[in-house]
Amino acid sequence: MQPHASLSNELVRIPQRPMSALETRIFHSALRCISLYDKVLPVISLKLSDLVSTKCGTTYKALEAACASLLARIWNDQPMFLTLHHKKQSSVLTGTFNPALAEHLLGLTSYYTCINLQGVHFKSSHTYRLLWLLRSYYRPKGVPITPPLTVDQLKLYLFDDLTISTDKLRRTLRTSLAELNANGYTCESKSTMCGNFLNHLQFTIPPVQLVQRKVKAPARVRVLEPVAATDHELVELKPEPAYQTVTIATPIAPEPEPEVIYDPETVPAANSALATMLQQALTGDNRNHSYRTSFDEHYEPEPDYTTEPATPAKHVPGAKLSFEERLTKAHTNLILLGVLSYRASTYVQRVRENQAKLELRFFKAVHHLLGSRDTISKEAWNGYVINKLKDVFGDM
């Protein structure tokens, strides 16, 4: 099992309901089966002794429930695990990853998060979740502070539920930050109030210990002049090869071919002879051959230009889901993009009331914003989102 676990930032920031302690342990142990140098997803094979302390009927039931919960979780409209099962009278838990998420699990995307989980034992699953979330904002040359995260964003990240009270969110964050600092992960939070209400929070990102790889020694360069060098740096100078001068004769241009002048009187006769040969080939000895076809079989009727061609169906991102399911998913994505909760609800309600006019433009705008998160600066992001949605709904 590898000490590190890695996930793409896109999967890290997908809202998930809280995991149990055993479910978290299985999830992280499965991710640690993937090496940083793997090109394909390996088979999951975990020892039960690394997951549970005792083996009894209650433990096996909890193990089955944790596996069933992991199989039901969705990342990017895909399950991460295709199989997770434990055979009776066996001390190994086996499973397979979903190949559709290979690029997110193998670190092939542009941004991904890597955490050293060897020897890390948190009591709360929220602490693991918060560590993944904060590390997803880490950049080697960037400021070690997360962007302002609204209360609704944190509720979705940690609970996937907007009905959670703000007091419960405060208690969860306070406990998780204390556990991170107690285990050596320096992390603090700074809250911004709007009157008596909590507006957003900013966190310091726990430092990352970068591993410096060994640099390959540069190749020795042969010089033409003697220089001072030690005995082990001397390179034998070989004499320059002798080149033989060869005289190449100038190529003679070929004589141009004489121009052929056709007699106009002989062209109709040649065409008539060619037509006669084709007719004999079709009606003569080749009439019984299996490859003989008639001109009628290859005849295609001329298209009717009087009728208008059928208009192709409009493509709507996420069309496999129902309209209400796509609206719910878009509502969640808007909040994760930084849109206030009441504004996101207003946008969704207007699309529901005027589906024929706003459906396609609204879903295209959300899809465009999701793909532009890493290309727009933090200072210009809020204005960019507002202008993009204003193109769909106008001034609200």
Side-chain angles (χ1 to χ4, degrees), residues 66 74 154 179 306 314 349-350 383:
I74 300 299
L154 291 171
E179 194 169 9
T306 58
K314 295 181 179 179
Q349 185 61 29
R350 289 192 59 180

Side-chain angles (χ1 to χ4, degrees), residues 223-298:
V223 294
L224 300 180
E225 297 180 0
V227 295
T230 58
D231 294 338
H232 67 278
E233 292 180 345
L234 292 177
V235 180
E236 181 184 0
L237 297 180
K238 297 181 180 180
E240 292 290 338
Y243 297 99
Q244 184 179 1
T245 305
V246 179
T247 304
I248 302 176
T250 304
I252 302 175
E255 296 182 359
E257 296 182 359
E259 183 180 0
V260 180
I261 301 176
Y262 294 96
D263 187 0
E265 297 181 358
T266 61
V267 174
N271 291 340
S272 178
L274 179 60
T276 304
M277 291 174 62
L278 290 175
Q279 184 177 5
Q280 292 176 355
L282 292 174
T283 60
D285 298 334
N286 298 329
R287 67 182 64 184
N288 295 325
H289 289 184
S290 59
Y291 56 80
R292 179 179 179 271
T293 57
S294 64
F295 291 103
D296 295 337
E297 296 177 5
H298 295 280

Side-chain angles (χ1 to χ4, degrees), residues 77 152-153 190 208 257 279 302:
D77 300 331
D152 291 334
Q153 284 179 312
K190 180 182 178 182
V208 178
E257 296 182 359
Q279 184 177 5
E302 186 176 358

Side-chain angles (χ1 to χ4, degrees), residues 110-265:
S110 56
Y111 295 103
Y112 66 97
T113 303
C114 185
I115 298 179
N116 188 352
L117 295 173
Q118 189 173 17
V120 178
H121 303 288
F122 296 137
K123 296 180 180 179
S124 173
S125 61
H126 293 294
T127 308
Y128 286 102
R129 177 65 175 149
L130 184 61
L131 179 60
W132 278 103
L133 180 63
L134 299 184
R135 280 285 178 83
S136 68
Y137 291 101
Y138 172 79
R139 296 292 181 272
K141 296 183 180 180
V143 181
I145 300 176
T146 64
L149 300 175
T150 63
V151 174
D152 291 334
Q153 284 179 312
L154 291 171
K155 287 180 180 179
L156 289 174
Y157 284 142
L158 298 177
F159 299 97
D160 194 18
D161 187 1
L162 291 174
T163 61
I164 296 295
S165 64
T166 306
D167 291 337
K168 183 176 181 179
L169 178 65
R170 286 175 181 270
R171 293 194 301 269
T172 302
L173 291 175
R174 190 182 303 115
T175 304
S176 299
L177 289 174
E179 194 169 9
L180 284 174
N181 286 283
N183 285 270
Y185 295 94
T186 306
C187 183
E188 298 178 354
S189 65
K190 180 182 178 182
S191 58
T192 302
M193 305 295 293
C194 182
N196 295 328
F197 298 97
L198 179 63
N199 191 4
H200 61 261
L201 293 94
Q202 275 187 295
F203 300 86
T204 56
I205 302 174
V208 178
Q209 295 181 356
L210 300 178
V211 179
Q212 186 175 6
R213 297 181 179 180
K214 294 183 179 180
V215 181
K216 185 179 179 181
R220 296 177 178 177
V221 181
R222 188 177 67 176
V223 294
L224 300 180
E225 297 180 0
V227 295
T230 58
D231 294 338
H232 67 278
E233 292 180 345
L234 292 177
V235 180
E236 181 184 0
L237 297 180
K238 297 181 180 180
E240 292 290 338
Y243 297 99
Q244 184 179 1
T245 305
V246 179
T247 304
I248 302 176
T250 304
I252 302 175
E255 296 182 359
E257 296 182 359
E259 183 180 0
V260 180
I261 301 176
Y262 294 96
D263 187 0
E265 297 181 358

